């Protein structure tokens, strides 16, 4: 089990390695990633998070972190994904573990997670014996702590934690926009973890970057209250202020973002009462604008036969919905079409929806995007 002293001593900022800087679409900039890693460790931070399905992330982690720093100077989290869009058999699923060890060169994982559990894929983790497999690897000393990441309802989360008390922590999508969202239910899921005594690792604190560019009325109030702080800082500090949060993962993709995050997380202070009031206003304002809740994880794009850049399409749509900027949305969309398929080219195969942890009706929204942006 994770001791309370260990959890409370954990530096609150974690480095999520899903969105590392890239030289091109398929090439991670390991030099900048190394600079970011050095800055992160120099500031006293320790927790790095990658996954088997994060394209190129594990190899970049080896080059930027593992080969350049003592193994006991950081914590590394990795994940096994047994969903049908990731693997097709028990053998493939279990092979991910050794592949991840080889890619990262880490020797062992401080934290190891069953990836993106939900009512739709839980049967694979159960039927493949993944829970016992991970417990075995922990007994062998190749895993220090086991847990899982989660995208579903509080009821499902409660049933998993009841059935698997061996899970030591839970990774949740948690941010101020989703705190009371009836679909994501961040608050209720967090409260289930508290009930079971499981510390929380936060993912998507900035909601795929969208909270770094809030509604104008929200941005204005934030700058009035705290003109020196970035918009992203409000989101990350909100999550870090929750008492049962062990670490908040920020998927940083540039040294500039790293330096910004460290500027307020190196000497972290919880949100003030006034700042909490601002975020309550933000929640109410955002609830009135219906956007596509895409977090740009890109799980949907790997198997798309038409090579549609789905998160980019949805980002353009949200620009239209949030800022009423149709011209800007169309410009963003046209840039995507230089290297990717059009929204209207979707063949409705549905693989994207099988992979989406947000359970977005992707095919329907692509039709709407085509009507909005291609006309």
């Amino acid at each position: 089990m994770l001791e309370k002293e260990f959890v409370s001593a954990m530096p609150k900022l974690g480095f999520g390695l899903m969105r590392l800087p890239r030289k091109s679409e398929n090439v991670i900039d390991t030099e900048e990633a190394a600079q970011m890693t050095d800055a992160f460790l120099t500031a006293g931070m320790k927790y790095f998070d990658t996954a088997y399905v994060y394209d190129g992330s594990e190899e970049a982690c080896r080059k930027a972190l593992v080969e350049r720093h003592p193994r006991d100077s950081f914590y590394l989290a990795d994940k096994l994904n047994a969903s049908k869009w990731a693997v097709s058999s028990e053998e493939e699923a279990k092979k991910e573990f050794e592949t991840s060890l080889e890619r990262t060169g880490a020797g062992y994982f401080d934290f190891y997670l069953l990836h993106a559990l939900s009512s739709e894929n839980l049967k694979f983790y159960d039927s493949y014996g993944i829970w016992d497999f991970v417990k075995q690897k922990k007994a062998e000393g190749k895993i220090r702590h086991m847990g899982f990441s989660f995208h579903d309802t509080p009821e499902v989360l409660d049933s998993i934690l009841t059935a698997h008390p061996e899970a030591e922590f839970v990774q949740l999508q948690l941010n101020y926009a989703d705190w009371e969202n009836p679909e994501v239910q961040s608050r209720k899921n967090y409260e289930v973890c508290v009930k079971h005594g499981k510390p929380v690792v936060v993912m998507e604190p900035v909601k795929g970057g969208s909270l770094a560019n809030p509604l104008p009325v929200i941005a204005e109030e934030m700058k009035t209250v705290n003109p020196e702080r970035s918009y992203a800082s409000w989101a990350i500090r909100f999550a870090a202020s929750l008492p049962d949060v062990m670490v908040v993962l920020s998927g940083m993709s540039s040294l500039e973002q790293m330096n910004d995050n460290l500027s307020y997380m190196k000497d972290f202070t919880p949100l003030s009462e006034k700042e909490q009031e601002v975020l309550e206003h933000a929640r109410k304002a955002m609830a009135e604008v219906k956007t596509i809740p895409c977090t740009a994880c890109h799980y949907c794009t790997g198997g798309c036969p038409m090579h549609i850049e789905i998160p980019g399409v949805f980002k353009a749509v949200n620009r239209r919905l949030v800022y009423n900027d149709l011209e800007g949305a169309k410009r963003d969309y046209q840039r995507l079409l230089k290297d990717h398929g059009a929204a209207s080219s979707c063949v409705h195969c549905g693989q994207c929806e099988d992979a989406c942890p947000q359970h977005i009706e992707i095919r329907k929204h692509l039709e709407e995007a085509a009507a909005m942006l291609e006309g």
Side-chain angles (χ1 to χ4, degrees):
M1 292 296 294
L2 286 165
E3 299 294 335
K4 288 186 176 180
E5 293 78 9
F6 177 86
V7 173
S8 62
M10 177 74 74
K12 287 291 188 180
L13 182 65
F15 190 176
L17 305 178
M18 178 193 284
R19 302 181 176 96
L20 290 171
R22 292 183 178 267
K23 294 181 177 179
S24 64
E25 183 176 351
N26 298 315
V27 180
I28 291 176
D29 187 339
T30 53
E31 291 82 5
E32 184 169 4
Q35 292 178 337
M36 295 167 70
T37 294
D38 293 350
F40 187 77
L41 291 171
T42 299
M45 307 299 150
K46 299 192 70 171
Y47 194 106
F48 294 79
D49 173 271
T50 186
Y52 176 84
V53 297
Y54 296 169
D55 184 30
S57 176
E58 291 177 321
E59 294 89 342
C61 175
R62 184 187 73 250
K63 295 175 182 177
L65 173 65
V66 177
E67 293 178 350
R68 301 176 58 253
H69 294 278
R71 183 62 184 87
D72 61 357
S73 67
F74 60 87
Y75 300 126
L76 182 59
D78 211 315
K79 310 180 190 74
L80 184 157
N81 197 311
S83 301
K84 66 179 182 179
W85 64 268
V87 296
S88 58
S89 69
E90 176 180 337
E91 181 182 6
E92 286 184 15
K94 291 179 177 178
K95 187 178 179 181
E96 288 183 20
F97 179 80
E98 295 300 335
T99 300
S100 292
L101 276 181
E102 181 180 350
R103 286 175 178 172
T104 61
Y108 64 91
F109 295 118
D110 301 277
F111 299 86
Y112 199 70
L113 298 84
L114 281 63
H115 197 177
L117 296 193
S118 72
S119 57
E120 295 179 0
N121 64 20
L122 187 59
K123 59 188 176 185
F124 298 110
Y125 292 92
D126 291 339
S127 64
Y128 292 167
I130 302 301
W131 293 95
D132 288 338
F133 174 76
V134 173
K135 283 193 288 185
Q136 176 188 337
K137 295 303 178 184
K138 183 180 178 184
E140 294 172 2
K142 295 182 178 180
I143 295 170
R144 300 290 170 84
H145 303 286
M146 65 178 291
F148 61 90
S149 60
F150 181 78
H151 295 275
D152 213 309
T153 67
E155 293 76 19
V156 174
L157 178 58
D158 186 63
S159 68
I160 293 174
L161 288 174
T162 300
H164 295 284
E166 68 269 27
E168 299 174 76
F169 64 100
V170 180
Q171 186 164 308
L172 293 177
Q173 178 172 324
L174 196 159
N175 54 68
Y176 69 78
D178 292 329
W179 188 240
E180 299 293 354
N181 185 301
E183 295 180 358
V184 182
Q185 302 189 76
S186 286
R187 177 180 60 79
K188 291 182 179 179
N189 280 326
Y190 169 78
E191 290 172 351
V192 170
C193 292
V194 173
K195 183 184 79 170
H196 284 269
K198 308 298 183 183
V200 173
V201 174
V202 173
M203 57 181 162
E204 303 296 353
V206 195
K207 201 172 172 65
S210 62
L211 300 184
N213 189 27
L215 292 167
V217 64
I218 299 171
E220 182 178 354
E221 185 172 7
M222 287 178 172
K223 285 302 182 185
T224 298
V225 171
N226 202 330
E228 302 302 320
R229 289 269 168 84
S230 66
Y231 301 127
S233 73
W234 290 77
I236 292 174
R237 289 178 62 235
F238 168 81
S241 296
L242 295 165
D244 287 85
V245 164
M246 179 171 69
V247 65
V248 179
L249 301 176
S250 179
M252 295 168 276
S253 55
S254 69
L255 184 59
E256 180 183 9
Q257 291 177 3
M258 174 65 74
N259 290 334
D260 177 62
N261 280 195
L262 293 175
S263 70
Y264 52 83
M265 291 302 292
K266 183 178 180 180
D267 299 306
F268 167 71
T269 56
L271 291 175
S272 67
E273 184 175 340
K274 179 60 179 176
E275 288 172 319
Q276 293 282 11
E277 289 178 7
V278 172
L279 293 187
E280 181 60 29
H281 298 161
R283 275 191 287 274
K284 292 178 180 178
M286 295 178 73
E288 297 176 0
V289 180
K290 298 300 180 183
T291 59
I292 302 173
C294 174
T295 62
C297 67
H298 280 87
Y299 295 171
C300 59
T301 56
C304 177
M306 307 310 293
H307 306 290
I308 303 170
E309 169 54 17
I310 297 168
V313 174
F314 291 168
K315 183 178 181 180
V317 171
N318 285 341
R319 179 170 181 171
R320 166 68 175 87
L321 296 175
V322 173
Y323 298 101
N324 197 29
D325 183 6
L326 181 58
E327 289 188 10
K330 286 188 173 182
R331 284 196 301 271
D332 291 346
Y333 179 67
Q334 287 300 316
R335 281 194 286 268
L336 292 176
L337 299 186
K338 295 178 181 178
D339 300 303
H340 301 92
S344 58
S345 69
C346 174
V347 294
H348 291 254
C349 66
Q351 73 81 32
C352 54
E353 294 182 10
D354 289 337
C356 180
Q358 309 301 325
H359 310 294
I360 297 170
E361 295 181 86
I362 294 176
R363 289 170 287 185
K364 182 188 78 170
H365 286 302
L366 286 176
E367 288 182 356
E368 295 169 348
M372 175 190 295
L373 303 173
E374 295 178 18

